[in-house]
């Protein structure tokens, strides 16, 4: 993420850090602009695993930064737009870039926030298994 210059994830985590050449993707999104959700769009979808991966790798500072930025746009209600709004995926500058509906997985980042910042951690499957 650092090498790609990704330091602001308030609009979400990009599906891919660099545009995939269209001749390598078989025309699935042929002709779509860079901001389309399959070609560089940002979303909260899947962000929980990024936060948890950073934490598991000992990158707590980075995990906190990513989580704080994602929660900022959840808190100000700018991260999700609902069915047909195109706001669930955005370009780096925040311009809506598509998707046909609401991805509920985008809210799963709140579970990571609860786990990290609650006074009493939320039990995980690993902890329950002992």
């Amino acid at each position: 993420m650092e090498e790609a210059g990704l330091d602001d994830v308030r609009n979400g985590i990009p599906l891919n850090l660099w545009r995939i050449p269209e001749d390598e993707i078989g025309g699935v999104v042929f002709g779509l602009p860079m901001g389309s959700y399959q070609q560089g769009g940002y979303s909260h979808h899947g962000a929980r695993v990024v936060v948890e991966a950073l934490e598991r790798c000992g990158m707590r500072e980075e995990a906190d930064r990513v989580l704080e930025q994602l929660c900022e746009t959840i808190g100000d209600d700018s991260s999700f737009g609902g069915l047909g709004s195109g706001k669930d995926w955005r370009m780096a500058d925040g311009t809506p870039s598509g998707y046909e509906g609401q991805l509920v997985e985008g809210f799963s980042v709140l579970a990571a926030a609860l786990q990290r910042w609650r006074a009493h951690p939320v039990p995980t499957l690993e902890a329950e298994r002992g």
Side-chain angles (χ1 to χ4, degrees):
M1 289 169 56
E2 187 176 301
E3 184 180 329
L6 179 60
D7 59 359
D8 183 351
V9 295
R10 287 176 293 172
N11 290 313
I13 305 293
L15 184 65
N16 47 301
L17 292 173
W18 291 279
R19 183 182 177 102
I20 301 168
E22 291 194 15
D23 63 341
E24 293 183 19
I25 55 178
V28 176
V29 293
F30 183 75
L32 291 176
M34 176 56 180
S36 70
Y37 78 94
Q38 291 292 320
Q39 273 288 58
Y42 290 57
S43 174
H44 284 57
H45 176 74
R48 177 184 182 179
V49 297
V50 172
V51 170
E52 291 175 348
L54 288 168
E55 183 174 330
R56 286 181 182 204
C57 291
M59 301 173 75
R60 292 187 60 86
E61 207 172 286
E62 292 86 347
D64 280 339
R65 181 182 55 80
V66 168
L67 194 52
E68 287 167 7
Q69 289 181 9
L70 292 167
C71 287
E72 179 183 328
T73 52
I74 291 173
D76 71 13
D77 200 29
S78 64
S79 58
F80 301 103
L83 186 61
S85 71
K87 293 181 180 178
D88 298 339
W89 287 85
R90 297 174 183 269
M91 294 170 53
D93 67 1
T95 304
S97 64
Y99 199 70
E100 64 272 7
Q102 182 70 47
L103 291 167
V104 297
E105 295 89 348
F107 293 104
S108 71
V109 75
L110 294 174
L114 288 171
Q115 183 67 27
R116 288 184 64 75
W117 294 326
R118 280 180 52 156
H120 305 286
V122 177
T124 63
L125 287 176
E126 290 175 357
E128 290 176 8
R129 292 180 184 148

